[in-house]
Amino acid sequence: MSKVNIILLETKGNICNIMSADQLYAHSKNQQGKWHLLSQHLFGVGEIMRRFSEDFYNGKVSELAWLIGIIHDLGKVHPGFQEYLKAQTEGMKHPKVPHSPWSASFVYRVFENFQGRHMLALPVAGHHSGLGEHGGLQANICENYCEQGILEAMFKTFKETVEIYPHISIPSGLTDLQRELLVRMLFSALIDADRIDTEKHFQGDNSFWQETKPTLIEMYETLQDNQMQLISQSEPSLVNLVRREVYENCLASAGGSPGFYRLTVPTGGGKTRSALAFALKHALSNNQRRIVFGIPYTSIIDQTASIFRDILGERAVLEHHSQVIISDDEDESTIHLRLAEENWDFPLIVTTTVQLFESLFANGPSRCRKIHNLAKSVIVLDEAQSLPVHLLKPTLQVLRDLVENYETTVVLSTATQPALQSEYLPELQGIEIKEIVPDFKKHFNELKRVSYQRLPGLLTIEELSQEIHKHDQVLVVLNSRKDALELVDALKGKNVYHLSTLLCGAHRRQVLEEVRRCLKDKQRVRQVRLISTQVVEAGVDLDFPTVYRVIGPLDRIVQAAGRCNREGRMPKLGRIVLFELQEGRHPRGPYKAGIEEARMLLEEYKTLDVLGEPHIYEIYFSRLYKTLGNDMDIKRIQKKREKMNFPETDKAYRLIEEETVPVVVRYGRYEEALEAWLKCPNQNNWRKLQQFIVNVFAWEGKGYIKDGLMSELIKGLYIWEGGYDNLKGIGGFQRDPSDLIV
């Protein structure tokens, strides 16, 4: 352990008009006219930090976390900042006075013999502006923020706040990457603790964090009751028998210790419900606090969150798609917006893998605020084959760190398991990944519900539309949104549906509901032709007799097959038709590499029946990882992390290379949700507004604003001024970014 040594400063009392702690303020007056005392705030944040960090390294850094909380706002003793607060209260203008640099300077002067002082200083210096670069922090602080009088005033307040000084240490033997993640987790805990304590001052008993949420044991008991009802109402079938076996396997395996687990279930095998059962029972068995479902597509989030709410109730589930990023400056006028940011303090979170992983590598306060709550959590990575291949090495290393040092469990859930322990990925070598369903191969054999065929040659969009017209009920999955829109136009008929992220969440749900009604109509065969991008492939509950899939990565093909004869009710096998387009578009990079590996593998195996065998995907992914090699950390993120270069790490780790912005579309009851959010920007109102949001590239947004298609409502949130089509959404204007969202 590395211990803290404190330099005792002599406080003379005549420099900078040093005041007692009860004369200094952290925030302006609340609605009751009370100031937020600085000593009160520092002590409150310190105590919350201590509690938040109990799950880091078996509690070995809880006192270090406490100290960060005590120090973070010491710079507010600056007379200029106190004058700024008073001016804000009186409605007068006053130049902003940064306080974080003063607090960080205190760390470097007072704890100069503490080897881990940068672990104190980095979160403190960045709790408004973001985590900076370790290499330049000390020089910047020493050059600009070393006035003796302010330092003495901070130390006086520090002594009055602390009273009893505990033993402070950090674990010894940390690698550079472990140290980097620990700084990030402490930073996250500080942001959350700071804002929770601030919210309590301004909102008191009305604070969002005071609301009661269901416990994990209540949720588990509710799920078990619901499962019994489902079994009693389900008709006997092979599919339902397999689903029940999978569910029971999940309960049987849930008593294991935290670690890595693999849930391998064929499409349509009840994976979502069974994964929830495992996660709840496992969390209860290991005293873990929450469950996070990371999902690659918004369409699955819509469906999964809806399923969970139907079972567990509205207050149990946080559905987190995207986020309005509020400025992290110190303007008191924006504090209510910052308080509306999500911190994932929910028993069950359903989010995108983009939101999950980019937050883990971010440096900004808004993004980082939530990640400390991943400690002592169960993370279920649904459709684990969709992990970002170009970022796979840093992603796996951070997941391993969470498991080994933060009491986290990671569940890899999919029908097409990636080869994450191959020789080309040392990050998980030596780790045991436990199978939740030991005899999963039997289920794949039992649930063979489709046959594959491949059309020869290259098709034009017009030729593909003629193929589609042969079928009354058919799903077509394409690699790009432009191709999907062109096919929609070529079909020129009624009963054509379109599904992609060009549609807002509420619209997607309506499309899926209408398609399901058509497919389930037992009185007559209703014509329904659904044209979609990859968003429909993984986890979306659809059951078509025929599915056309353009050649894509191998795992995407079998995921599309999961939308065919899903319930196994057809008298014969469902039909999967593979084809290639003459001028087909597809994402670049690893997606393109996946297409090439799939082509070669399909040529090597003379029968397409191999696509129903789970082992083929381990072969496919091993070959893909060999092909990609160092491109699985293509931005050299691990090197940046070793140097604690947090800004560069943030810039480099992008599942979607370009920044997107949230745009409200004029669909359904958007006005009601938008008005509620603008009036009261809290978490609940933001979740209601999310269903009317589409994300566009930031650079595209500038063009849309110039063309009058988009305008800014408030900083970071826009509204679509162009048309919104009932079939294409904003598809007449949007270019072709990834189907993932932030």
Side-chain angles (χ1 to χ4, degrees):
M1 298 287 182
S2 177
K3 298 180 181 179
V4 167
N5 294 310
I6 301 179
I7 297 175
L8 295 177
L9 298 175
E10 179 184 354
T11 303
K12 300 176 182 178
N14 60 355
I15 300 177
C16 287
N17 191 24
I18 297 174
M19 296 181 288
S20 299
D22 60 0
Q23 297 175 298
L24 295 166
Y25 306 122
H27 298 108
S28 55
K29 293 179 181 180
N30 59 20
Q31 292 181 347
Q32 288 73 44
K34 294 182 179 180
W35 287 93
H36 199 186
L37 293 178
L38 180 58
S39 58
Q40 245 177 17
H41 179 55
L42 297 178
F43 185 80
V45 172
E47 290 303 303
I48 297 172
M49 282 281 288
R50 194 201 305 267
R51 174 166 55 86
F52 280 169
S53 61
E54 287 174 353
D55 306 322
F56 304 176
Y57 286 87
N58 296 315
K60 293 177 182 177
V61 298
S62 59
E63 299 303 337
L64 178 68
W66 170 86
L67 183 60
I68 291 170
I70 294 293
I71 292 173
H72 83 287
D73 267 0
L74 275 177
K76 288 185 175 181
V77 306
H78 195 293
F81 187 86
Q82 294 296 310
E83 292 169 7
Y84 160 73
L85 279 184
K86 292 172 183 176
Q88 286 282 309
T89 299
E90 295 169 4
M92 300 173 61
K93 291 185 177 181
H94 190 284
K96 295 178 184 177
V97 180
H99 62 272
S100 303
W102 296 100
S103 303
S105 178
F106 178 85
V107 171
Y108 269 88
R109 290 292 302 277
V110 175
F111 300 97
E112 69 177 21
N113 295 324
F114 179 39
Q115 291 181 357
R117 63 177 175 168
H118 64 283
M119 301 184 75
L120 291 169
L122 281 163
V124 168
H127 78 274
H128 284 288
S129 58
L131 283 169
E133 180 188 359
H134 175 217
L137 177 64
Q138 183 176 359
N140 184 55
I141 287 173
C142 291
E143 181 181 350
N144 296 296
Y145 303 105
C146 291
E147 292 183 19
Q148 184 69 15
I150 299 298
L151 190 64
E152 292 176 350
M154 286 191 288
F155 191 72
K156 182 176 186 294
T157 302
F158 176 76
K159 288 196 298 182
E160 291 180 4
T161 303
V162 170
E163 297 182 0
I164 300 175
Y165 191 78
H167 169 76
I168 306 294
S169 62
I170 58 174
S172 58
L174 298 182
T175 67
D176 289 340
L177 292 174
Q178 288 171 333
R179 192 179 294 265
E180 193 265 5
L181 182 61
L182 179 55
V183 169
R184 196 183 297 279
M185 295 290 274
L186 291 167
F187 176 65
S188 169
L190 173 61
I191 301 305
D192 200 22
D194 183 20
R195 295 183 182 178
I196 287 175
D197 190 73
T198 301
E199 182 185 8
K200 288 178 180 177
H201 166 69
F202 283 106
Q203 298 193 17
D205 293 337
N206 295 321
S207 169
F208 176 81
W209 313 112
Q210 304 296 321
E211 296 182 18
T212 302
K213 307 174 187 72
T215 64
L216 292 180
I217 186 64
E218 290 170 339
M219 293 164 61
Y220 177 67
E221 291 172 350
T222 300
L223 175 62
Q224 286 290 78
D225 290 342
N226 184 273
Q227 179 70 8
M228 294 303 295
Q229 293 176 16
L230 183 66
I231 290 172
S232 65
Q233 296 168 4
S234 298
E235 61 185 50
S237 69
L238 180 58
V239 172
N240 286 332
L241 177 62
V242 169
R243 288 172 180 169
R244 188 183 307 181
E245 288 181 3
V246 170
Y247 188 92
E248 291 171 354
N249 283 155
C250 284
L251 294 183
S253 299
S257 58
F260 280 92
Y261 287 82
R262 191 157 35 212
L263 178 57
T264 310
V265 181
T267 54
K271 175 167 52 69
T272 300
R273 174 182 283 262
S274 296
L276 177 61
F278 172 87
L280 284 170
K281 187 174 180 182
H282 182 79
L284 290 169
S285 298
N286 292 285
N287 196 30
Q288 292 168 307
R289 292 189 170 87
R290 65 185 49 80
I291 296 150
V292 180
F293 270 75
I295 298 175
Y297 298 110
T298 55
S299 53
I300 320 175
I301 291 181
D302 299 337
Q303 176 178 285
T304 302
S306 178
I307 291 170
F308 290 166
R309 287 198 191 98
D310 288 345
I311 298 171
L312 303 172
E314 184 75 25
R315 287 297 301 149
V317 184
L318 168 63
E319 181 182 357
H320 189 191
H321 288 199
S322 54
Q323 176 113 310
V324 174
I325 303 299
I326 305 302
S327 171
D328 290 304
D329 61 27
E330 294 134 46
D331 189 341
E332 292 281 308
S333 67
T334 66
I335 201 163
H336 68 292
L337 297 178
R338 289 191 276 119
L339 292 174
E341 294 164 349
E342 307 284 2
N343 75 341
W344 286 6
D345 185 18
F346 261 69
L348 176 58
I349 296 109
V350 182
T351 189
T352 59
T353 48
V354 178
Q355 183 69 245
L356 171 63
F357 290 128
E358 287 192 358
S359 296
L360 273 167
F361 291 86
N363 79 319
S366 299
R367 274 286 178 85
C368 286
R369 177 180 179 179
K370 65 181 80 71
I371 64 172
H372 72 94
N373 275 326
L374 294 175
K376 212 159 189 176
S377 295
V378 181
I379 301 175
V380 180
L381 297 177
D382 197 20
E383 308 304 341
Q385 79 285 348
S386 297
L387 287 172
V389 180
H390 63 298
L391 303 170
L392 199 50
K393 287 177 175 286
T395 301
L396 293 181
Q397 190 278 325
V398 164
L399 289 175
R400 179 172 184 163
D401 201 347
L402 287 173
V403 167
E404 292 183 332
N405 299 310
Y406 299 88
E407 301 182 53
T408 302
T409 290
V410 173
V411 180
L412 305 165
S413 177
T414 180
T416 54
Q417 288 288 351
L420 298 183
Q421 290 179 299
S422 75
E423 59 183 301
Y424 310 105
L425 282 172
E427 285 72 19
L428 291 191
Q429 286 180 9
I431 288 285
E432 180 187 7
I433 303 182
K434 303 168 188 173
E435 290 286 356
I436 295 175
V437 180
D439 198 14
F440 63 86
K441 294 179 182 178
K442 174 176 76 94
H443 294 150
F444 279 82
N445 291 329
E446 291 173 340
L447 291 189
K448 184 177 180 181
R449 291 154 290 173
V450 301
S451 64
Y452 293 86
Q453 73 175 90
R454 185 173 179 177
L455 296 180
L458 301 176
L459 301 181
T460 64
I461 286 290
E462 185 58 38
E463 288 170 338
L464 178 59
S465 70
Q466 292 171 9
E467 272 283 327
I468 301 311
H469 273 299
K470 298 175 183 177
H471 305 278
D472 289 324
Q473 296 185 337
V474 61
L475 166 65
V476 186
V477 183
L478 296 151
N479 285 329
S480 78
R481 304 200 293 193
K482 281 189 176 180
D483 288 346
L485 291 176
E486 286 184 11
L487 182 57
V488 167
D489 289 337
L491 287 170
K492 299 176 183 176
K494 295 181 180 179
N495 304 317
V496 173
Y497 300 86
H498 163 239
L499 193 65
S500 76
T501 52
L502 294 170
L503 280 56
C504 66
H507 193 176
R508 287 194 302 271
R509 280 194 291 273
Q510 185 184 51
V511 170
L512 286 169
E513 288 170 5
E514 176 62 22
V515 168
R516 289 186 186 114
R517 279 196 297 269
C518 292
L519 294 173
K520 291 179 180 179
D521 191 341
K522 296 181 181 179
Q523 303 300 317
R524 61 190 177 94
V525 175
R526 297 181 61 182
Q527 197 175 73
V528 50
R529 294 164 180 150
L530 176 59
I531 314 305
S532 178
T533 59
Q534 305 99 302
V535 295
V536 78
E537 289 177 336
V540 177
D541 187 9
L542 292 172
D543 194 353
F544 279 87
T546 304
V547 172
Y548 278 67
R549 210 310 178 181
V550 69
I551 294 291
L554 205 68
D555 56 300
R556 304 301 182 100
I557 293 173
V558 78
Q559 291 293 341
R563 306 323 114 197
C564 183
N565 195 18
R566 187 176 180 84
E567 299 296 326
R569 296 194 180 102
M570 292 175 60
K572 57 183 180 179
L573 295 177
R575 185 165 170 252
I576 309 298
V577 182
L578 305 181
F579 65 93
E580 294 200 62
L581 285 175
Q582 197 170 82
E583 297 181 356
R585 306 167 182 87
H586 52 70
R588 292 171 292 178
Y591 194 97
K592 181 181 179 182
I595 293 175
E596 295 305 318
E597 290 295 333
R599 283 197 183 108
M600 289 189 287
L601 205 59
L602 291 175
E603 290 297 327
E604 181 178 335
Y605 287 85
K606 301 305 179 184
T607 173
L608 294 178
D609 289 344
V610 72
L611 293 173
E613 300 292 334
H615 76 277
I616 195 65
Y617 300 98
E618 185 172 352
I619 296 172
Y620 162 75
F621 280 111
S622 292
R623 293 183 181 183
L624 179 61
Y625 299 157
K626 180 180 179 181
T627 298
L628 292 172
N630 288 332
D631 285 351
M632 290 185 285
D633 184 12
I634 196 168
K635 299 293 184 65
R636 305 299 181 260
I637 289 168
Q638 296 297 68
K639 293 295 183 183
K640 295 176 175 63
R641 293 183 61 221
E642 287 173 348
K643 295 178 181 178
M644 284 203 181
N645 193 329
F646 294 97
E648 287 302 312
T649 298
D650 183 306
K651 291 178 184 177
Y653 194 98
R654 286 287 184 271
L655 276 80
I656 302 175
E657 290 291 334
E658 298 172 87
E659 181 184 356
T660 62
V661 294
V663 183
V664 179
V665 297
R666 303 176 191 275
Y667 178 85
R669 301 175 67 177
Y670 82 93
E671 288 179 298
E672 180 181 322
L674 179 58
E675 183 180 354
W677 160 253
L678 292 174
K679 185 177 180 181
C680 185
N682 58 32
Q683 286 90 347
N684 188 50
N685 286 336
W686 177 247
R687 288 195 297 274
K688 292 177 180 177
L689 182 60
Q690 280 183 326
Q691 63 182 319
F692 304 108
I693 282 177
V694 170
N695 286 269
V696 304
F697 284 145
W699 65 268
E700 284 185 312
K702 293 178 182 178
Y704 293 147
I705 291 172
K706 183 178 179 181
D707 294 339
L709 296 173
M710 196 171 99
S711 62
E712 191 170 34
L713 287 167
I714 60 172
K715 188 174 182 179
L717 181 64
Y718 300 82
I719 189 164
W720 186 255
E721 304 287 5
Y724 188 84
D725 190 83
N726 282 332
L727 180 60
K728 300 178 184 178
I730 65 170
F733 308 93
Q734 185 79 324
R735 295 172 180 86
D736 192 29
S738 167
D739 281 321
L740 295 170
I741 66 157
V742 178

